[in-house]
Amino acid sequence: MTDLAIRVEGLRRSFGDLDVLKGVDFGVRRGEIFALLGSNGAGKTTVVRICATLLRPDGGTVRVGGFDPVTQAGRVRESISLTGQFAAVDAMLTGRENLVLIARLRGVADPGKAAADLLDRFRLTDAADRRAGTYSGGMTRRLDIAMSLVGSPAVIFLDEPTTGLDPEARIEVWRTVKELADGGTTILLTTQYLDEAEQLADRIAILHGGRIIADGTLADLKRLFPPAKVEYVEKQPSLEEIFLAIVGKS
């Protein structure tokens, strides 16, 4: 259990008479991408908010980086970053100014250098001095994730990061998430897009009815079903493949 960056046991949370989390259990290993799947209202964001110190649980235990988000909230916040469903980018500032602002708030020694390094890492250098309000959806989300990396947090929570993005922008975000994990960052990703979890996740958990009903690798989850019937059919390209081929981004 010492290799777990996030450990959740028996997590419960209600809102009035509505029991959203009824005993959630899972663990996320250091340096892995862990996808939490569930339909709208399943409680994915509630789990993230509890782990990120934004909401108190009614019961159960949570540890993030070994710390309790309730009694050691300050220690947890020092080691995490949260990117929500809506970008926290200031549209009136340039990309560089957004990053410098966050770096100063986090007490980074050289905010300008930190901003320049992240702009280069996220392929935003050419747009660094343009107002963020002129960025495309994919560029805005990349900047948002770059802002969450200021100060090199060990754990990043991505709460439905590609909601509302077009296919090209989604693939841009996927590439960025994979690069973060390759660099050793632990990522808890919530999504309702099954293809997103399939593309990104080292392990997948399904939240339904207030509990985790399945947890494992994609191969583990596939073994829960009977062997597929083998048929020989002509494979047709998906709409996403057609779209990307037409615009030259395949």
Side-chain angles (χ1 to χ4, degrees):
M1 300 294 283
T2 57
D3 70 333
L4 293 183
I6 303 169
R7 179 165 56 86
V8 174
E9 295 180 331
L11 184 60
R12 293 183 289 105
R13 187 61 163 89
S14 299
F15 296 94
D17 295 330
L18 179 63
D19 295 328
V20 176
L21 306 178
K22 303 176 183 178
V24 171
D25 301 277
F26 66 86
V28 183
R29 299 185 183 92
R30 299 181 191 280
E32 80 172 347
I33 302 175
F34 183 88
L36 186 60
L37 298 183
S39 57
N40 284 334
K44 303 185 301 297
T45 297
T46 300
V47 171
V48 168
R49 292 183 67 196
I50 290 172
C51 290
T53 77
L54 300 178
L55 188 66
R56 295 177 71 94
D58 294 331
T61 61
V62 178
R63 295 293 182 272
V64 178
F67 301 110
D68 185 331
V70 175
T71 62
Q72 299 169 293
R75 299 299 298 272
V76 171
R77 290 170 186 161
E78 289 173 0
S79 63
I80 69 167
S81 220
L82 168 62
T83 296
Q85 297 178 28
F86 303 100
V89 171
D90 189 327
M92 298 301 294
L93 300 179
T94 67
R96 190 186 309 278
E97 288 168 342
N98 270 284
L99 288 164
V100 168
L101 173 63
I102 298 301
R104 286 175 175 165
L105 290 173
R106 289 204 166 192
V108 173
D110 189 342
K113 183 178 185 306
D117 289 345
L118 286 166
L119 288 164
D120 180 63
R121 179 176 178 180
F122 286 87
R123 302 178 297 281
L124 290 168
T125 301
D126 291 344
D129 298 309
R130 282 170 39 199
R131 285 196 306 109
T134 68
Y135 285 11
S136 68
M139 292 170 67
T140 300
R141 182 53 86 183
R142 291 210 314 274
L143 176 60
D144 194 32
I145 295 174
M147 290 164 60
S148 73
L149 280 184
V150 173
S152 301
V155 178
I156 295 181
F157 296 98
L158 299 177
D159 189 14
E160 302 197 15
T162 63
T163 297
L165 297 184
D166 62 50
E168 289 178 276
R170 288 182 70 205
I171 290 174
E172 283 187 53
V173 173
W174 291 356
R175 184 184 301 116
T176 299
V177 171
K178 289 176 181 177
E179 289 171 356
L180 293 177
D182 289 343
T185 303
T186 303
I187 297 171
L188 191 156
L189 166 78
T190 75
T191 183
Q192 53 185 317
Y193 299 131
L194 304 185
D195 60 332
E196 187 158 274
E198 188 170 354
Q199 285 285 334
L200 295 177
D202 298 305
R203 284 193 308 121
I204 300 165
I206 299 174
L207 179 61
H208 182 75
R211 293 184 172 86
I212 299 296
I213 61 171
D215 182 352
T217 65
L218 180 60
D220 292 335
L221 299 186
K222 285 181 177 179
R223 283 194 288 270
L224 297 175
F225 295 88
K229 180 181 179 182
V230 177
E231 294 182 348
Y232 294 94
V233 297
E234 180 182 353
K235 182 183 183 298
Q236 296 294 325
S238 67
L239 180 58
E240 183 170 279
E241 289 171 332
I242 294 169
F243 174 88
L244 294 174
I246 289 173
V247 299
K249 298 291 185 178
S250 57

